Amino acid sequence: MARRTWNVCVMRDGRPLDLGQVTESSEPLARCAALSRFAVSEDELAAGEAPGSGRAIYPGEDFSVSPAG
């Protein structure tokens, strides 16, 4: 199966926030790749290890992937 690029987006404060892109062959795999790349845990947040830019998927936050281009 051919790999494709997927955009990763979260809804934050009622607006979409683009986090970046992942490359995978299907939507379910793209969702897993997005979590692997962008998700932060409660422990990381408590330790202050979350990205300062807010470019992350926080615990309990909804996110989506969509084909790029």
Side-chain angles (χ1 to χ4, degrees):
M1 185 178 273
R3 292 172 54 116
R4 62 193 306 184
T5 301
W6 300 82
N7 295 319
V8 182
C9 179
V10 296
M11 288 299 288
R12 191 167 295 146
D13 299 325
R15 294 181 301 199
L17 174 64
D18 293 320
L19 298 182
Q21 297 181 324
V22 295
T23 304
E24 273 302 339
S25 57
S26 68
E27 183 175 350
L29 290 176
R31 289 183 62 80
C32 289
L35 288 171
S36 176
R37 182 170 179 188
F38 298 109
V40 294
S41 69
E42 292 283 347
D43 291 339
E44 290 170 314
L45 288 172
E49 296 173 355
S53 65
R55 299 247 181 234
I57 301 170
Y58 296 114
E61 194 167 46
D62 288 329
F63 73 98
S64 63
V65 295
S66 59

